[in-house]
């Protein structure tokens, strides 16, 4: 048959629905807990420590073993191999052995005939502790020089001299809190023993390969005997990058010992008690600046709450150091970061991975500089932006990477105009002058976020693409789907490469037996890495089919076109499936593997310099809030967001990611507060005490747009990542709240407001600024 290819055909750049959208809304999308249970499946639960730091003198588990429905109880000594699940440093036991280091640390696992019976039995243990001194606050840990890793530092220029010479200086302490990932689907693993000491583990995880390694080491079996699979997660946000290992390891141990399938599903309270969160940061800073507000020198000490083990605290601190600049050129800096060891949950990855904690400090500093000088904070921000290739060196970061794709000037200018920032600033000042109780605030904040893993070797990915005789295409890659649309984008890339409709392409579950040695789906690299790998695999098939088409239809292989399920060559056009069938009969290979490694990355961890990022993603947001100065209540009235997604692969999904990140980041900075009591127990371990944003917290006027831009880096179709960077956009909400509080004192005093800016914190700040 023949078909005219009159218009350019593409499957990328279109707003396709999420590949599982119908399954999501109909309730038929399968998650780990939805897998039909194999005959004989048992259920496990964890027994948790009641002490923050103590020696375990005795564990009497007789009552647990004798409880109804209990099959077995396992402790650290039952592991055939290694009882460790630390992703970098092996300082994180799967089950505590002899000593506990936080309230909620798993001590043992009980296996019973049902989930409820296992949970009930786990509470019957009698544990004798010998209490040890517990360190519960990062500053206390710092005073004792108690760290999970050696302190790190980065210096450029002479910060102390710059501070000495500066006309103006400010200094202070500040802090931002942590954040619970609060994924909708909790931690879960389902382990099924296989023949020859094999183990299959279905796990809700962002890092199947890491789970494979943990299980193999724990059971003392080779990696080839362990299969880890993840079809999708009900959210991850970093909480399932490393910390799903404990759940996978325990489920696998129980299944291995009993030779029966075992499921370990975390109750929400247990999940929050056991797992780590976003790192809380405490800052000491000193900054010098001139009369215009230009920053001349910066000295910063950052103390993070690492928890009891290293986990991913090192890379998180590294990214925080590298993102202290946000969108601003800092000529002279002295930055020090300490990962403080506390007897609390071991904190881990969370969307932004230290970037937000680094960038928000410089925004706080600029906010104070502007107020001190009586300037609009936006004007101080504009003055300090990175330059372009102006020959003055104002486009080199403090860690030595050249900023070659700086569009922050144009992006902020566009948002300033489209949001009517200046007119609204004047209107709010007029409103506040006549409103003694309700006060409005406005802020515009930018961001520059580096895209790539801090650790260079992690920037690699693989994929498999199979073309079947009916023209349908099956894709498998190393990334994991957690609702962010990764599989949709990868399918679009493959469909585009082969010239078939998106409906012809299916992406299967992530599986360690298909693509080996994968990196975590994290650092906003999921589409960049796996999209490129899948494109490489599909391209090889396309080249083979093009050669075959030119040989059978006439024409030149390089000029064969693939479009809308058709292939055209030599003036003739056939269906894609038709040519595939002929190619099969001619013994043309119809499947291929693909691999991608991000080029031009390097990093010196000792000097903390190099080229750690492939490119930068930019964005900015304007937020308008109103606060009640009598109660501390507040509301976001309007948000205008402009985000640089490059040449977006799927604008609808990208906008959805920006919206979600904005609200999630707003929750971190306003409503989500983690509280530990004097005994080290996390008291905010359930939805009743820990408040994530709800639909009512979203602004009625929410304007999200994508900035028109083409990535200068050779990313997949010149797109940019949209996972983590937008979480920095709601900085504007926090500083709008701070602006509203400052108006109580006619902007003459700095509000004493840390994050999260809960209603109680806002009220305290209002009262303080009045005194």
């Amino acid at each position: 048959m023949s078909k005219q290819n009159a218009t350019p055909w593409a499957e990328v750049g279109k707003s396709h629905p999420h590949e599982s959208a119908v399954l999501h809304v109909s309730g038929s999308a399968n998650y780990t807990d939805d897998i039909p249970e194999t005959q004989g499946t048992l259920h496990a639960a964890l027994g948790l420590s009641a002490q923050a730091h103590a020696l375990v003198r005795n564990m009497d588990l007789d009552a647990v073993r004798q409880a109804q429905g209990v099959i077995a109880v396992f402790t650290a000594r039952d592991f055939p191999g290694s009882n460790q699940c630390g992703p970098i440093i092996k300082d994180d036991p799967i089950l505590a052995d002899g000593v506990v280091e936080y309230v909620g640390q798993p001590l043992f696992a009980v296996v019973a005939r049902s989930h409820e019976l296992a949970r009930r039995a786990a509470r019957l243990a009698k544990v004798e502790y010998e209490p040890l001194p517990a360190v519960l606050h990062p500053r206390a840990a710092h005073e004792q020089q108690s760290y999970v890793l050696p302190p790190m530092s980065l210096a450029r220029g002479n910060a102390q001299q710059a501070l000495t010479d500066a006309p103006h200086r400010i200094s202070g302490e500040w802090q931002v809190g942590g954040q619970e990932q609060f994924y909708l689907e909790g931690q879960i693993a389902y382990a099924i023993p296989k023949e020859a000491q094999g183990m299959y583990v279905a796990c809700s995880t962002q890092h199947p390969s890491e789970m494979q390694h943990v299980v193999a080491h724990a059971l003392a079996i080779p990696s080839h005997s362990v299969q880890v699979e993840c079809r999708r997660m009900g959210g991850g946000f970093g909480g399932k990058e490393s910390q799903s290992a404990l759940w996978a390891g325990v489920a696998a141990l129980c299944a291995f010992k009993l030779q029966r399938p075992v499921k370990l599903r975390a109750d929400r309270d247990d999940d929050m008690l056991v797992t780590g969160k976003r790192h809380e940061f405490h800052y000491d800073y000193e900054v010098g600046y001139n009369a215009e507000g230009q920053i001349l020198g910066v000295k910063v000490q950052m103390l993070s709450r690492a928890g009891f083990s290293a986990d991913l605290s090192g890379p998180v601190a590294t990214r925080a150091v590298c993102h202290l600049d946000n969108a601003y050129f800092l000529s002279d800096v002295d930055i020090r970061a300490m990962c403080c060891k506390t007897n609390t949950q071991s904190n881990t990855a969370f969307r932004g991975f230290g970037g937000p904690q680094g960038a928000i400090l410089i925004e706080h500093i600029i906010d104070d500089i502007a107020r001190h000088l009586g300037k609009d904070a936006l004007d101080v921000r504009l003055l300090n932006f990175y330059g372009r290739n102006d020959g003055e060196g104002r486009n080199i970061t403090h860690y030595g990477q050249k900023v070659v794709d700086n569009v922050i000037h144009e992006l902020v200018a566009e948002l300033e105009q489209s949001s009517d920032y200046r007119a609204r600033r004047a209107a709010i000042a007029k409103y506040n002058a006549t409103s003694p109780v309700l006060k409005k605030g406005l802020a515009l904040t930018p961001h520059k976020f580096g895209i790539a893993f801090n650790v260079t070797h992690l920037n690699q990915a693989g994929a498999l693409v199979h073309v079947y005789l009916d023209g349908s295409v099956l894709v498998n890659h190393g990334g994991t789907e957690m609702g962010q649309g990764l599989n949709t984008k990868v399918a679009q890339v493959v469909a585009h490469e082969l010239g078939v409709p998106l409906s012809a392409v299916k992406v299967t579950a992530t599986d360690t037996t298909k693509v080996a040695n994968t990196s975590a789906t994290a650092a906003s690299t999921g589409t960049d890495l796996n999209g490129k790998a899948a494109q490489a695999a599909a391209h090889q098939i396309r080249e083979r089919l093009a050669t075959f088409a030119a040989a059978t239809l006439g024409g030149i292989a390089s000029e064969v076109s693939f479009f809308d399920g058709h292939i055209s060559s030599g003036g003739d056009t056939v269906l894609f499936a038709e040519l595939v069938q002929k190619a099969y009969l001619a013994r043309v290979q119809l499947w291929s593997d693909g691999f991608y490694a991000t080029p031009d990355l390097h990093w010196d961890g000792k000097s903390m310099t190099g080229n750690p990022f492939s490119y930068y993603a930019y964005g900015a947001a304007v937020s308008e809030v109103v606060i009640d100065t009598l109660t501390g209540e507040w509301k976001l009235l309007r948000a205008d967001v402009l985000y640089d997604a490059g040449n977006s692969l799927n604008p609808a999904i990208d906008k959805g990611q920006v919206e979600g990140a904005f609200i999630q980041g707003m929750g971190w900075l306003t409503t989500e507060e983690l509280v530990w009591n004097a005994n080290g127990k996390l008291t905010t371990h359930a939805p009743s005490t820990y408040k994530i944003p709800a639909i009512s917290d979203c602004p009625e006027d929410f304007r999200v747009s994508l900035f028109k831009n083409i990535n200068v880096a050779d990313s997949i179709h010149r797109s940019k990542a949209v996972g983590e960077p937008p979480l920095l956009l709601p900085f504007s909400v926090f500083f709008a709240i701070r602006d509203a509080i400052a108006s109580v004192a006619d902007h003459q005093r700095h509000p004493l407001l840390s994050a999260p800016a809960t209603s109680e914190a806002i009220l305290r700040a209002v009262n303080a600024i009045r005194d």
Side-chain angles (χ1 to χ4, degrees):
M1 66 173 290
S2 103
K3 179 169 180 172
Q4 182 68 31
N5 185 17
T7 58
W9 183 89
E11 280 291 20
V12 295
K14 294 183 177 181
S15 291
H16 289 286
H18 190 287
E19 50 95 21
S20 295
V22 173
L23 301 179
H24 289 156
V25 299
S26 65
S28 54
N30 284 322
Y31 296 86
T32 301
D33 202 28
D34 298 317
I35 297 172
E37 293 178 2
T38 302
Q39 183 177 5
T41 292
L42 301 172
H43 298 264
L46 299 172
L48 308 181
S49 166
Q51 295 282 324
H53 193 201
L55 296 174
V56 179
R57 287 305 185 191
N58 184 55
M59 276 201 303
D60 183 353
L61 303 178
D62 288 346
V64 180
R65 293 187 178 93
Q66 294 166 13
Q68 180 184 354
V70 170
I71 304 298
V73 178
F74 299 107
T75 67
R77 298 179 184 181
D78 290 305
F79 282 97
S82 173
N83 175 37
Q84 287 289 336
C85 60
I88 301 175
I89 298 175
K90 302 308 176 185
D91 61 348
D92 196 343
I94 300 174
L95 295 175
D97 188 7
V99 61
V100 292
E101 298 202 65
Y102 71 97
V103 175
Q105 184 171 10
L107 284 161
F108 62 89
V110 55
V111 184
R113 299 189 186 281
S114 73
H115 175 71
E116 182 179 355
L117 291 174
R119 290 194 66 221
R120 288 182 181 276
R123 285 155 173 74
L124 300 177
K126 297 177 181 179
V127 183
E128 294 180 14
Y129 300 99
E130 180 181 325
L132 298 172
V135 178
L136 301 178
H137 196 278
R139 288 199 179 273
H142 176 55
E143 290 174 2
Q144 299 177 27
Q145 301 289 288
S146 176
Y147 311 120
V148 297
L149 294 164
M152 58 185 69
S153 63
L154 186 160
R156 176 168 73 171
N158 189 331
Q160 187 57 56
Q161 189 63 50
L163 289 170
T164 301
D165 297 341
H168 301 282
R169 293 167 69 171
I170 57 172
S171 61
E173 296 180 2
W174 196 53
Q175 69 182 67
V176 294
Q179 185 179 21
E180 165 65 34
Q181 288 87 356
F182 217 97
Y183 23 67
L184 289 178
E185 176 201 29
Q187 298 279 4
I188 182 170
Y190 184 27
I192 303 174
K194 297 294 183 181
E195 63 181 27
Q197 290 194 320
M199 185 61 62
Y200 167 85
V201 182
C203 186
S204 185
T205 180
Q206 295 171 237
H207 201 345
S209 287
E210 176 67 16
M211 302 309 104
Q212 180 189 33
H213 299 156
V214 167
V215 170
H217 294 154
L219 303 183
I221 59 177
S223 291
H224 68 50
S225 296
V226 180
Q227 177 185 2
V228 177
E229 185 177 57
C230 178
R231 172 60 185 94
R232 61 171 62 83
M233 286 167 277
F237 308 118
K240 296 174 181 175
E241 179 175 347
S242 64
Q243 300 221 342
S244 49
L246 186 152
W247 314 89
V250 170
L253 168 68
C254 297
F256 189 78
K257 286 289 188 176
L258 297 173
Q259 284 300 294
R260 290 179 64 177
V262 175
K263 181 186 289 185
L264 175 60
R265 182 179 77 239
D267 171 84
R268 177 67 67 180
D269 293 76
D270 289 351
D271 192 326
M272 293 181 72
L273 281 171
V274 173
T275 61
K277 297 86 175 60
R278 181 189 295 282
H279 290 69
E280 164 190 334
F281 268 58
H282 295 255
Y283 312 94
D284 298 290
Y285 62 89
E286 189 174 2
V287 180
Y289 56 97
N290 63 22
E292 287 72 42
Q294 182 178 346
I295 296 173
L296 304 175
V298 179
K299 287 185 70 174
V300 171
Q301 177 177 266
M302 298 190 286
L303 309 176
S304 68
R305 179 192 289 272
F308 82 96
S309 69
D311 197 84
L312 296 170
S313 293
V316 166
T318 299
R319 187 169 281 269
V321 169
C322 289
H323 282 75
L324 177 74
D325 58 335
N326 195 17
Y328 312 110
F329 174 72
L330 304 178
S331 60
D332 295 80
V333 299
D334 183 347
I335 309 170
R336 307 189 180 200
M338 290 80 169
C339 302
C340 299
K341 181 173 182 177
T342 56
N343 292 112
T344 53
Q345 293 82 353
S346 187
N347 285 328
T348 189
F350 196 126
R351 195 175 194 173
F353 201 78
Q357 294 98 311
I360 196 170
L361 176 61
I362 201 69
E363 295 298 338
H364 173 77
I365 289 168
I366 285 180
D367 199 53
D368 277 359
I369 290 173
R371 194 170 294 105
H372 179 258
L373 296 176
K375 292 177 175 286
D376 190 314
L378 174 58
D379 293 326
V380 178
R381 290 184 168 101
L382 295 174
L383 178 68
N384 284 284
F385 276 164
Y386 271 102
R388 283 160 278 206
N389 294 314
D390 51 16
E392 298 180 7
R394 288 184 58 85
N395 64 337
I396 306 295
T397 66
H398 55 296
Y399 47 88
Q401 180 161 346
K402 187 175 183 179
V403 181
V404 297
D405 59 343
N406 189 4
V407 296
I408 196 66
H409 299 266
E410 296 86 347
L411 188 149
V412 168
E414 181 178 325
L415 181 64
E416 179 186 349
Q417 182 177 19
S418 66
S419 67
D420 296 319
Y421 175 84
R422 302 288 178 178
R424 290 167 64 195
R425 168 65 72 196
I428 286 173
K430 186 176 180 181
Y431 173 91
N432 287 340
T434 59
S435 178
V437 175
L438 300 180
K439 297 291 186 180
K440 289 185 178 180
L442 187 73
L444 187 159
T445 58
H447 76 69
K448 172 184 68 68
F449 195 92
I451 305 300
F453 281 101
N454 293 65
V455 181
T456 301
H457 74 262
L458 297 179
N459 295 283
Q460 59 175 296
L464 295 172
V465 175
H466 295 177
V467 175
Y468 295 98
L469 297 186
D470 61 355
S472 63
V473 182
L474 190 70
V475 182
N476 186 269
H477 59 82
T480 54
E481 175 64 52
M482 61 193 90
Q484 82 278 39
L486 171 61
N487 285 345
T488 307
K489 288 184 174 181
V490 171
Q492 284 180 259
V493 168
V494 171
H496 182 83
E497 193 69 23
L498 294 176
V500 298
L502 183 59
S503 59
V505 181
K506 180 179 181 180
V507 180
T508 61
T510 312
D511 187 336
T512 56
T513 64
K514 294 180 180 178
V515 178
N517 308 319
T518 58
S519 297
T521 304
S524 303
T525 62
T527 301
D528 283 2
L529 295 176
N530 296 286
K532 276 283 196 179
Q535 182 187 48
H539 184 74
Q540 294 177 61
I541 300 171
R542 177 187 174 116
E543 291 291 285
R544 296 179 197 130
L545 288 175
T547 300
F548 179 73
T552 56
L553 302 177
I556 303 172
S558 61
E559 297 178 356
V560 174
S561 60
F562 293 69
F563 62 96
D564 198 20
H566 295 78
I567 297 177
S568 180
S569 182
D572 197 5
T573 302
V574 299
L575 288 169
F576 179 82
E578 181 181 336
L579 189 78
V580 164
Q581 292 169 9
K582 292 179 179 179
Y584 167 72
L585 295 176
R587 296 188 294 181
V588 174
Q589 183 179 335
L590 297 173
W591 63 272
S592 190
D593 64 303
F595 180 78
Y596 177 73
T598 310
D600 304 321
L601 299 178
H602 57 89
W603 178 251
D604 184 337
K606 292 183 179 180
S607 66
M608 298 196 74
T609 57
N611 203 75
F613 304 121
S614 176
Y615 60 86
Y616 297 100
Y618 301 88
V622 177
S623 292
E624 180 179 343
V625 305
V626 62
I627 67 169
D628 186 329
T629 59
L630 299 181
T631 66
E633 293 177 279
W634 70 280
K635 187 171 181 60
L636 176 59
L637 302 174
R638 173 178 164 182
D640 296 67
V641 176
L642 186 58
Y643 182 76
D644 169 26
N647 188 32
S648 174
L649 293 172
N650 190 317
I653 284 179
D654 286 348
K655 285 184 179 180
Q657 284 293 292
V658 172
E659 292 167 354
F662 187 94
I663 299 302
Q664 187 175 51
M666 183 181 77
W668 166 50
L669 295 173
T670 60
T671 65
E672 299 182 45
E673 185 174 26
L674 295 167
V675 178
W676 287 265
N677 66 18
N679 296 320
K681 181 179 180 180
L682 180 69
T683 58
T684 50
H685 57 80
S688 58
T689 51
Y690 186 82
K691 297 301 181 182
I692 65 172
I695 187 66
S696 59
D697 297 302
C698 300
E700 291 186 11
D701 194 347
F702 198 6
R703 310 181 188 191
V704 175
S705 301
L706 300 181
F707 182 66
K708 294 182 180 179
N709 188 30
I710 302 295
N711 196 350
V712 297
D714 184 23
S715 59
I716 185 68
H717 289 285
R718 301 285 176 169
S719 63
K720 287 191 177 184
V722 197
E724 295 172 299
L727 196 131
L728 282 66
L729 294 168
F731 287 2
S732 57
V733 176
F734 179 85
F735 291 105
I737 292 173
R738 203 164 185 251
D739 182 57
I741 297 171
S743 72
V744 174
D746 197 25
H747 300 281
Q748 297 303 303
R749 299 179 64 187
H750 301 309
L752 300 175
L753 184 69
S754 296
T758 61
S759 294
E760 296 88 345
I762 291 171
L763 185 58
R764 286 195 297 268
V766 168
N767 291 335
I769 209 169
R770 278 178 171 155
D771 293 339

